[in-house]
Amino acid sequence: MTDQDTIRTAIREWGAAFCAKDIDRLMAHYAPDAVVFDAIPPFSSGVAEMRDKVIACFPYFPNASAIETREMKIASGGEMAMSHFMWHFTGLPPGHPAGKHWLRSSIQWRRQPDGRWLIEHDHCSAPFDPHSEKVLLDPDAPATTTEDCAARNPVGWFEIYVQDMARARAFYGAVLGLELTRLEAPQELWAFPMRAEAGGAAGALVHMEGFRSGDNSVLVYFSCEDCAVEAARVPAAGGKIHEGKKSIGEYGHIALVIDSEGNMIGLHSMK
């Protein structure tokens, strides 16, 4: 049996041990000082952390699960060897999160004095699409192109210019029930809560010399559960209601209000 055959067999044995939920059998393939770069946190760990992580995963996998690999390549020379391949779980219930995607593994092996090949470095990851910032689940799926990006909602950021930042922060905090965060920038910016995985556009209140508030020709709409609720908070927060809640047909409802700085903003809800 060649070194490549031995390592290929060890990779199959690793998968069989995982599916059998046999942690000792699985960890026997790792050198004591192995480093693991895993696809789930913590991203870098040693064998002890790897052992605990795998044990925590076992309850989520049925006994009928298996591992399928593809495009496996193995190169060896002297005491070192490298393998890389793609793999995914099979035999999982429909909708199981681990059955939705492929992973890629690059593994560095070292021959031991007793002739065994053990893992020194195990790197498992999934590629991501830089345009959508999402993991690519299917290795055969086409990458996002600039043409795809053109089909998205065009707004990626908004700024609302203010004269009195403390007053403006108090207004938006009271009306929308949220807390703004100071951003490091040459001018004073306080950002609305934002999450990379969420939809919609992020933005901030900005105090910048030479930019007046109240003369805006761009209307920013904030999403609400019921825009009448947020609109009702406006007068007490230092603003004015320009137009109360009204229907815009199948697109829901809006209200137009003036903030504490004289800017008109929109409130939108489907209810």
Side-chain angles (χ1 to χ4, degrees):
M1 180 179 289
T2 66
D3 291 336
Q4 289 89 342
D5 291 335
T6 300
I7 292 172
R8 188 172 288 106
T9 299
I11 294 171
R12 288 197 296 266
E13 172 65 13
W14 188 104
F18 185 100
C19 295
K21 304 179 183 180
D22 189 336
I23 189 62
D24 292 330
R25 181 176 154 199
L26 184 149
M27 296 307 300
H29 294 284
Y30 289 86
D33 59 349
V35 176
V36 180
F37 285 3
D38 202 4
I40 57 177
F43 292 156
S44 176
S45 63
V47 292
E49 295 84 0
M50 174 68 172
R51 183 186 183 94
D52 292 341
K53 185 190 299 186
V54 173
I55 290 173
C57 288
F58 281 161
Y60 298 97
F61 289 83
N63 294 330
S65 64
I67 290 178
E68 175 188 352
T69 63
R70 59 187 273 188
E71 300 180 21
M72 184 177 294
K73 299 289 187 297
I74 302 172
S76 62
E79 304 302 313
M80 303 297 295
M82 285 294 300
S83 62
H84 58 87
F85 53 93
M86 292 190 293
W87 62 279
H88 74 154
F89 288 99
T90 62
L92 298 176
H96 193 292
K100 296 179 179 179
H101 59 268
W102 285 79
L103 295 169
R104 54 189 180 180
S105 283
S106 298
I107 303 176
Q108 177 180 309
W109 304 76
R110 182 182 292 275
R111 191 199 306 271
Q112 306 302 300
D114 61 4
R116 293 179 302 151
W117 286 93
L118 294 183
I119 297 170
E120 276 198 335
H121 186 98
D122 183 354
H123 189 147
C124 176
S125 64
F128 79 101
D129 180 352
H131 295 289
S132 65
E133 298 184 354
K134 294 182 178 180
V135 171
L136 296 178
L137 304 180
D138 183 354
D140 299 318
T144 302
T145 66
T146 53
E147 288 77 12
D148 297 324
C149 295
R152 297 180 185 172
N153 292 328
V155 177
W157 178 257
F158 66 84
E159 293 181 348
I160 299 175
Y161 293 96
V162 306
Q163 302 304 310
D164 187 321
M165 182 61 75
R167 181 178 63 192
R169 286 170 53 204
F171 173 86
Y172 284 94
V175 173
L176 300 176
L178 47 78
E179 184 175 347
L180 285 79
T181 303
R182 177 71 186 264
L183 299 182
E184 294 296 330
Q187 62 271 15
E188 188 177 2
L189 275 78
W190 286 81
F192 292 90
M194 49 186 159
R195 295 176 299 175
E197 73 277 9
L205 301 178
V206 182
H207 179 69
M208 184 184 298
E209 294 297 330
F211 283 80
R212 287 174 44 82
S213 60
D215 295 331
N216 57 314
S217 59
V218 176
L219 194 59
V220 176
Y221 280 88
F222 290 90
S223 298
C224 310
E225 182 69 22
D226 181 349
C227 62
V229 174
E230 282 77 4
R233 299 172 183 160
V234 167
K240 300 177 183 178
I241 298 176
H242 178 78
E243 188 171 3
K245 178 180 178 180
K246 68 176 183 179
S247 172
I248 52 174
E250 63 180 301
Y251 301 107
H253 299 80
I254 61 169
L256 299 177
V257 303
I258 309 298
D259 73 4
S260 60
E261 310 305 295
N263 297 306
M264 182 181 292
I265 60 172
L267 304 171
H268 173 264
S269 63
M270 291 306 299
K271 183 164 66 174

